[in-house]
Amino acid sequence: DGIVPSPEWKKKNFKGEAWRLGDTYHTAIGQYGFQVTPIQMVRAVSAIANGGNLVTPHLVRGAKVDKPISLGLPEENLRIAREGMRMAVTEPRGTGIRLQSLKTAVAVKSGTAEVGKNNEYVNSWTTSFFPYESPRYALVVVMERAPGKPTGAIATVHGTLLWMETNTPEYLNTTK
């Protein structure tokens, strides 16, 4: 199970410490005690992309597909989340701006954490969905202890989609 910190969680795990406003801020951006697996994250971003329906991923073609579960999220909230993820690609200081050069419109959320004795490594994640206007795919890339700049996961998504645009364009709607 994943962990989304809450006031109750903090009291239980930090000997009765009170929840502070900063705890809310850190949790909202996926830090503090927030813990999810890549599969949990790809399910979450899929629900944002598809209008609020939680789907169960399948790894085998032709597997029995369970009916999606409606999360009952307001469409306005989902629209804001989708637009924010797209802006990470389209805005000049967006963390996913490297993806702007693709033919495929992508929406992304990235995250990094510096690790190692001297912060010489980076844990880098990216979760995305595409094509933006008519989402068909969600993707999560996780790179642990990668050397260098905190762009590893974004660079991997870029390379993957660039390969798809060249080699399997039938899977992508290549309009920006």
Side-chain angles (χ1 to χ4, degrees):
D1 289 340
I3 296 171
V4 178
S6 66
E8 296 76 26
W9 172 87
K10 186 173 181 182
K11 281 181 186 174
K12 178 180 174 187
N13 290 283
F14 291 90
K15 299 182 182 173
E17 277 189 38
W19 186 264
R20 301 189 191 297
L21 183 59
D23 298 331
T24 300
Y25 295 153
H26 288 136
T27 298
I29 62 170
Q31 293 185 353
Y32 189 46
F34 194 98
Q35 296 181 20
V36 293
T37 67
I39 291 289
Q40 289 169 326
M41 202 65 226
V42 81
R43 289 182 80 200
V45 81
S46 293
I48 291 169
N50 74 24
N53 297 301
L54 191 62
V55 297
T56 300
H58 295 83
L59 302 176
V60 177
R61 185 184 297 237
K64 180 183 177 282
V65 177
D66 299 329
K67 183 178 177 186
I69 301 165
S70 174
L71 298 175
L73 300 171
E75 178 54 37
E76 177 65 7
N77 294 5
L78 293 167
R79 183 188 62 76
I80 290 168
R82 285 190 296 267
E83 287 177 3
M85 290 177 70
R86 181 65 183 142
M87 288 170 63
V89 176
T90 61
E91 292 297 310
R93 294 177 51 126
T95 58
I97 195 160
R98 181 172 186 174
L99 304 176
Q100 197 171 41
S101 65
L102 296 167
K103 294 176 190 172
T104 305
V106 182
V108 68
K109 168 66 175 95
S110 65
T112 58
E114 294 171 337
V115 294
K117 184 177 177 184
N118 297 309
N119 290 335
E120 66 269 29
Y121 299 104
V122 175
N123 288 348
S124 174
W125 290 78
T126 298
T127 184
S128 58
F129 67 86
F130 55 93
Y132 178 71
E133 294 299 334
S134 299
R136 293 182 61 199
Y137 306 101
L139 175 66
V140 171
V141 173
V142 179
M143 298 179 71
E144 294 183 295
R145 295 183 61 82
K149 296 181 180 181
T151 57
I154 291 284
T156 301
V157 171
H158 182 268
T160 300
L161 292 177
L162 191 60
W163 184 92
M164 288 179 75
E165 287 177 354
T166 302
N167 296 288
T168 58
E170 64 274 16
Y171 291 113
L172 305 172
N173 173 0
T174 57
T175 59
K176 282 192 160 190

